[in-house]
Amino acid sequence: MSEFSERLSGLIFEHGLNRKLLAKNVGINASCITHYLQDKRIPTVKSLIMLAEYFSCSTDFLLGREEENKTLTFKPCPPFSEQIAFVAKHFCSSFYSFYHELKIPESTFFEWKNGSSQPTLESIIKIADHFDCRIDFILGREN
């Protein structure tokens, strides 16, 4: 995740911010920003989205999965419980093959599907890698 800390640091610099001001503007604890910049912690999905929205960039760019920070318009993320069904349908995947192929415990998958828990960033990346698509697509930020 060192690419994330480098991208975040660069965006903070480009926008003339410091970690405390960014934390205040975004609504993330300043100590979390410090840990991200020191590559000691990866963001939650919610924090990643908040940072991407603040900097008007893709989550994929912020994580270093894309080289270019394209000017794109993103929509608000739907609940992941809805988005996971959309992703499965889009890739013509049954729920069984979805969690089986990704080696996600069935109970975890259905907790996501029922909205009783949210995936980690690692799980979102795993899903995006499996379907060879952008994280923003998995999150429902793009069409």
Side-chain angles (χ1 to χ4, degrees), residues 3-16 37 55 61:
E3 189 69 35
F4 170 73
S5 60
E6 290 175 23
R7 293 279 169 94
L8 182 58
S9 179
L11 287 167
I12 289 170
F13 178 78
E14 285 174 25
H15 287 81
L37 292 170
F55 289 116
F61 173 77

Side-chain angles (χ1 to χ4, degrees), residues 99-114:
Y99 64 77
H100 184 73
E101 290 173 13
L102 283 153
K103 297 181 178 31
I104 296 170
E106 180 180 6
S107 60
T108 300
F109 176 86
F110 282 101
E111 286 174 2
W112 298 344
K113 175 85 176 62
N114 297 328

Side-chain angles (χ1 to χ4, degrees), residues 18-30:
N18 61 45
R19 67 178 179 81
K20 287 182 181 179
L21 186 56
L22 174 63
K24 180 182 174 192
N25 292 348
V26 177
I28 297 173
N29 189 303

Side-chain angles (χ1 to χ4, degrees), residues 65-82:
R65 295 169 60 95
E66 293 177 341
E67 290 303 313
E68 223 178 294
N69 186 7
K70 302 172 189 166
T71 305
L72 302 170
T73 303
F74 297 100
K75 60 184 183 178
C77 295
F80 194 73
S81 58
E82 294 173 15

